[in-house]
Amino acid sequence: YVVVSEISERLMNQIVDTDETIRVENDTNMFVQSNLVECKIMFTDWINNIRKYSTGESKISMYINEGKLIIHFENQYDSNDFEIDKLLRDMNSKSKDAVFEGKEYGYGIYIIKSIAKELGVEIIAYKNIDDVCKQLCLDFKFLIHDRKENINI
């Protein structure tokens, strides 16, 4: 939480919306595989993309679902859907090298996928479209471990 919150406040001047169950449970046996430096790079790269391409509101939230800690990013966009669909396909591809086929993304997306793969973090990208706006969403899903499983984390 501290890493996401620090980056969000510094880069986006907003707080992270944290699900009440995370704050209330306060379970000291909940751990995720993480590397502080790599997580900062991964989240900073994505937030910088949000800052660069967002056309409206953005939001960051955290919650637990099905044994995973989800860091959820969403932002409004105004790009054409063909470009967004290609980005979604490449982000959801299991191969981090898929990004190089669309060189217009730059090196940041490759780094995000490389770090996520190294940390065992699942990335799910999707879009929400309604009458008011189009939103690009990205979820980083960290597997939650108990302390006894946490020996090498």
Side-chain angles (χ1 to χ4, degrees):
Y1 173 77
V2 173
V3 172
V4 177
S5 181
E6 171 193 334
I7 293 167
S8 174
E9 289 173 13
R10 184 166 38 96
L11 294 177
M12 299 178 73
N13 296 321
Q14 70 184 57
I15 61 170
V16 176
D17 181 25
T18 306
D19 185 69
E20 186 68 23
T21 58
I22 294 174
R23 292 188 294 247
V24 171
E25 282 185 27
N26 199 15
D27 186 348
T28 57
N29 275 336
M30 289 180 17
F31 293 90
V32 295
Q33 181 174 345
S34 178
N35 174 299
L36 184 61
V37 172
E38 290 179 338
C39 281
K40 281 187 174 187
I41 291 168
M42 185 170 63
F43 295 139
T44 299
D45 278 357
W46 188 252
I47 289 171
N48 282 332
N49 281 331
I50 290 173
R51 291 174 60 199
K52 186 175 181 180
Y53 298 108
S54 181
T55 59
E57 292 186 25
S58 57
K59 178 181 173 183
I60 303 172
S61 58
M62 278 176 61
Y63 58 94
I64 295 173
N65 187 23
E66 298 179 357
K68 295 182 180 178
L69 173 67
I70 314 295
I71 312 295
H72 173 81
F73 293 86
E74 65 185 58
N75 64 282
Q76 293 179 1
Y77 70 92
D78 197 21
S79 300
N80 77 44
D81 284 322
F82 177 78
E83 292 173 0
I84 295 299
D85 290 342
K86 182 170 180 6
L87 174 63
L88 295 177
R89 261 191 322 276
D90 291 345
M91 287 299 291
N92 290 324
S93 165
K94 299 300 178 202
S95 169
K96 66 181 190 280
D97 297 327
V99 177
F100 284 134
E101 294 172 10
K103 292 180 180 158
E104 65 274 7
Y105 300 138
Y107 194 59
I109 300 296
Y110 177 81
I111 289 175
I112 290 169
K113 289 187 73 161
S114 296
I115 292 171
K117 185 174 183 177
E118 181 180 317
L119 294 176
V121 175
E122 181 183 5
I123 296 176
I124 304 292
Y126 56 98
K127 62 184 179 180
N128 287 329
I129 299 176
D130 61 26
D131 294 338
V132 179
C133 66
K134 300 189 291 188
Q135 291 182 321
L136 176 63
C137 302
L138 185 68
D139 292 346
F140 292 91
K141 297 184 174 190
F142 291 79
L143 185 62
I144 297 173
H145 302 276
D146 291 333
R147 182 179 294 279
K148 62 183 173 245
E149 298 173 357
N150 190 37
I151 294 170
N152 294 319
I153 297 177

